[in-house]
Amino acid sequence: MITTDKYNPHEIEPKWQKYWDEIGLLRAREGSDKKAYILVMFPYPSGDLHMGHLKNYTMGDLLARFRVQQGYSVLHPFGWDAFGLPAENAALKFGVSPADWTFGNIQQSKESLSLMGIRYDWSREVTTCLPDYYKWNQWIFLKMYERGLVYRKKSLVNWDPVEQSVLANEQVIDGRGWRSGALVEKRELEQWYLKITDYAERLLADLDKLPRWPEKVKAMQRAWIGKSQGAEFDFQVKGHPAKIRVFSTRPDTIFGATFMVLAPEHELVAQITTPEQKAAVEAYVAAAQMKSEVERQREDREKTGVFTGAYAINPANGKEIPVWIADYVLAGYGTGAIMAVPGQDERDWEFAEKFGLEIIRTVEPPAGWQGKAYTEDGPAINSDFLNGLYMEQAKKKIIAWMEEKGIGSGKVNYRLRDWLISRQRYWGTPIPMIHCDSCGIVPVPYEELPVLLPTLKDVDDIRPKGKSPLAAHPEFYECECPKCGGKARRDTDTMDTFFDSSWYFLRYTDAQNPALPFDPARANFWMPVDQYIGGIEHAILHLL
Ligand code: ANZ
Ligand code: ZN
């Protein structure tokens, strides 16, 4: 051990740390006309803190002290993102209950923070796995349900075969689970969703109101929201009552649509496929389900597809064009169907070349053009009443024409999807819903919150099995229907932990409020956050 006369950490550090605690150096005091809300990312307590934490939290501590000395009202709080897989997996590995494991780690981490000399206002501590926090997750969920922002839908979901749970799109990276690294599969399940797409436009537009945000973060968010402007319109299937609706950002190229492509999962596939093509189509659909979205969208992949045997009528010129299925068209984006315009779209060109389909250019390429699809602007050709017009004008004209004929209209699409929030795991907030055979789905009454997560001590009870571990515990799920009083069943799924971390920074502003998630007046004093210190990966996840 090295000591000097001047600096003996074992004497000086405890001395001053004690003093800071006595005077409540970082105790948040509302009232100054200058305020600084300094927010550091809150950790998963799945072990002790590490050097990365020390680096991150030192920055926050430094800034908070500086603002205190400048006379600001400073809020520098801390908490624990305590639900979720990391704690649960660690618990499974070491054979202790997630609760014991988590609280042990919190204690350890707190001591480490204190030793580091970092100071917080601990009266604002937030621990997401405690009922006094997750009660408000349930409350917010119910409020959102009342406003139509929570809904239930059967859909193909990302299934992580190792975690034995559903993953949000954000948690699938290169087709693999973000934690397990396992190849993600598709499964059909009834799930709870948050309708965040209702806010897509506002999220995008309001990025312009964030003057001091790093351009990089705003660019990530813009790309994530992924606004695209185009049109939605119909193609009649020949000899069949069905119409195929497509979304296109280039409706001006419609005269060059020489075939159509449906996603393999598209609902019309089974209806329009001819008997001769049935076997080939079914085999292709089955194979496509095994592939992840990311894989399907990879540009360098050899294009594959199968003809359905059906034809559609191009409404612009009355031509009969073949309808194919191919996995480069995704079920979850736009309408899950496209008009293919090989003359102007590179993927469609490749597909046409491979399968010998017709190619008609509808935009004049520059003189001497040697390339394949021409995706830039230029005067329209082979396009009847659009001929000679450049892209923007041609788009306007064709959309007006579609609207007049009742074929379709202008349409904005977003890449952003609704947020799938149910998880088939134990260590999370129970979803406050009840399933009754006579009344259907009934929300838990507010006065009965929180729906407590039962304490499961036996590790085998916690282990993921493909359905929620809570579904094996009648003492949890058996209940009375709040509407008819009959026998009913609680929802046994739990919430994605990003639900917890989507509003913890608001709870910090009024962390002990027993009656509300937070008092709006107190939140208004402290918000917005003046400085966030955490990884940039949060920009498109819970901080979007
Ligand atoms: C015809 C066309 C011609 C297109 C052209 C592009 C260029 P973004 O910008 O990403 O919104 N598309 C639509 N839905 C799709 C889906 N579910 N899966 C795969 N591709 C899909 O892209 C919109 C364009 O992507 C749409 O415009 C459509 O192809 C294709 F010269 O329609 B386009
Ligand atoms: Zn009932």
Side-chain angles (χ1 to χ4, degrees):
M1 187 168 59
I2 299 164
T3 56
T4 71
D5 292 344
K6 289 202 173 68
Y7 175 61
N8 180 348
H10 295 280
E11 271 174 24
I12 291 176
E13 295 293 332
K15 176 185 159 187
W16 287 105
Q17 288 172 14
K18 190 161 159 270
Y19 174 72
W20 295 328
D21 291 339
E22 275 165 15
I23 64 164
L25 180 72
L26 262 307
R27 212 182 160 87
R29 298 174 181 89
E30 288 158 26
S32 169
D33 52 353
K34 293 177 296 184
K35 66 93 188 175
Y37 182 174
I38 295 151
L39 178 67
V40 293
M41 63 177 161
F42 70 157
Y44 284 120
S46 52
D48 194 357
L49 298 181
H50 52 67
M51 289 312 284
H53 290 117
L54 176 56
K55 176 180 158 200
N56 193 81
Y57 299 143
T58 300
M59 291 191 262
D61 188 57
L62 194 72
L63 188 58
R65 288 161 184 267
F66 180 57
R67 292 296 187 218
V68 164
Q69 292 185 345
Q70 287 182 315
Y72 282 66
S73 284
V74 172
L75 178 57
H76 187 225
F78 204 78
W80 314 96
D81 196 2
F83 266 146
L85 298 180
E88 196 176 281
N89 288 340
L92 287 169
K93 197 159 134 198
F94 298 104
V96 294
S97 83
D100 292 346
W101 176 254
T102 300
F103 290 114
N105 289 327
I106 288 177
Q107 200 44 47
Q108 176 69 55
S109 301
K110 261 185 171 170
E111 282 166 24
S112 301
L113 283 168
S114 179
L115 278 173
M116 292 170 193
I118 295 172
R119 287 299 177 266
Y120 296 103
D121 181 349
W122 287 108
S123 73
R124 308 262 175 170
E125 184 178 7
V126 156
T127 306
T128 57
C129 67
L130 289 176
D132 73 353
Y133 185 81
Y134 71 70
K135 171 182 178 175
W136 302 112
N137 280 344
Q138 295 172 339
W139 188 94
I140 291 168
F141 183 95
L142 292 176
K143 287 284 172 197
M144 293 179 98
Y145 182 73
E146 275 175 24
R147 308 275 159 104
L149 292 170
V150 166
Y151 67 96
R152 207 165 153 76
K153 188 175 77 173
K154 202 180 212 162
S155 60
L156 283 178
V157 296
N158 303 308
W159 180 259
D160 185 321
V162 170
E163 305 265 10
Q164 290 278 300
S165 187
V166 169
L167 300 177
N169 286 319
E170 291 85 334
Q171 292 164 337
V172 179
I173 296 157
D174 292 337
R176 291 172 184 275
W178 69 314
R179 288 198 173 273
S180 71
L183 274 177
V184 168
E185 302 162 6
K186 296 283 177 191
R187 274 205 185 178
E188 195 165 69
L189 279 179
E190 234 355 277
Q191 303 278 325
W192 289 105
Y193 285 83
L194 291 194
K195 221 159 176 287
I196 58 172
T197 51
D198 274 12
Y199 294 85
E201 187 56 39
R202 204 169 136 195
L203 282 166
L204 185 67
D206 288 3
L207 284 174
D208 296 335
K209 296 184 186 170
L210 302 172
R212 290 189 300 128
W213 275 43
E215 212 33 65
K216 191 164 59 163
V217 169
K218 291 199 271 188
M220 277 169 78
Q221 296 205 342
R222 271 191 204 104
W224 193 253
I225 297 164
K227 180 176 184 171
S228 73
Q229 224 138 2
E232 242 182 53
F233 44 97
D234 294 328
F235 286 64
Q236 181 65 52
V237 180
K238 189 189 161 201
H240 196 281
K243 289 185 170 121
I244 299 171
R245 176 146 275 238
V246 302
F247 171 71
S248 175
T249 45
R250 293 292 307 275
D252 56 302
T253 64
I254 189 169
F255 287 93
T258 52
F259 57 100
M260 305 197 71
V261 185
L262 304 183
E265 301 86 352
H266 196 287
E267 56 176 15
L268 284 180
V269 173
Q271 299 174 35
I272 65 171
T273 298
T274 58
E276 306 80 66
Q277 292 302 103
K278 193 162 179 276
V281 164
E282 280 173 0
Y284 188 81
V285 170
Q289 286 200 358
M290 303 304 291
K291 296 190 186 113
S292 75
E293 269 196 16
V294 178
E295 195 184 342
R296 284 169 55 165
Q297 281 182 296
R298 262 182 33 215
E299 300 287 336
D300 56 341
R301 254 180 85 227
E302 172 95 6
K303 293 275 173 298
T304 61
V306 177
F307 179 40
T308 63
Y311 289 83
I313 316 287
N314 184 332
N317 54 17
K319 264 189 161 174
E320 287 176 15
I321 58 178
V323 181
W324 286 63
I325 61 170
D327 64 7
Y328 76 94
V329 175
L330 304 175
Y333 185 66
T335 62
I338 64 161
M339 66 166 185
V341 187
Q344 269 63 237
D345 185 280
E346 282 157 352
R347 291 173 306 175
D348 297 345
W349 179 291
E350 251 182 79
F351 196 86
E353 227 178 18
K354 174 154 179 197
F355 294 105
L357 298 160
E358 194 183 4
I359 298 174
I360 302 173
R361 289 192 190 278
T362 56
V363 176
E364 174 117 63
W369 170 257
Q370 295 293 316
K372 299 180 172 182
Y374 181 66
T375 59
E376 305 293 309
D377 202 357
I381 51 171
N382 302 321
S383 295
D384 198 325
F385 58 89
L386 299 180
N387 282 340
L389 296 178
Y390 279 71
M391 183 160 59
E392 279 318 307
Q393 270 184 304
K395 273 191 198 174
K396 275 201 192 107
K397 191 157 180 183
I398 194 73
I399 291 174
W401 178 84
M402 286 171 175
E403 286 174 352
E404 188 195 305
K405 298 259 167 186
I407 297 168
S409 55
K411 163 96 188 180
V412 172
N413 251 324
Y414 300 91
R415 288 261 151 211
L416 189 72
R417 314 279 174 89
D418 281 342
W419 178 10
L420 194 179
I421 57 158
S422 19
R423 294 290 179 277
Q424 292 68 48
R425 294 293 290 241
Y426 163 63
W427 193 236
T429 304
I431 289 180
M433 288 291 185
I434 289 168
H435 302 264
C436 170
D437 283 341
S438 355
C439 312
I441 289 176
V442 183
V444 172
Y446 286 101
E447 58 282 8
E448 285 174 24
L449 298 183
V451 176
L452 286 174
L453 182 69
T455 307
L456 300 185
K457 291 270 179 197
D458 187 343
V459 169
D460 278 329
D461 271 353
I462 297 164
R463 210 175 295 287
K465 300 164 186 81
K467 59 182 181 178
S468 175
L470 293 177
H473 289 269
E475 73 282 8
F476 171 77
Y477 66 70
E478 280 178 357
C479 67
E480 238 177 45
C481 170
K483 248 192 193 160
C484 69
K487 259 182 80 177
R489 208 184 142 93
R490 285 189 195 286
D491 203 295
T492 51
D493 284 356
T494 56
M495 295 182 198
D496 179 2
T497 51
F498 285 161
F499 199 99
D500 313 355
S501 50
S502 290
W503 71 281
Y504 73 105
F505 51 92
L506 291 163
R507 183 70 178 169
Y508 279 146
T509 68
D510 193 12
Q512 294 178 20
N513 195 326
L516 282 174
F518 51 87
D519 176 343
R522 302 193 74 183
N524 282 336
F525 177 79
W526 290 110
M527 291 295 288
V529 169
D530 295 281
Q531 179 72 54
Y532 174 73
I533 302 172
I536 195 162
E537 69 278 9
H538 300 278
I540 47 162
L541 299 169
H542 59 143
L543 294 184
L544 178 68

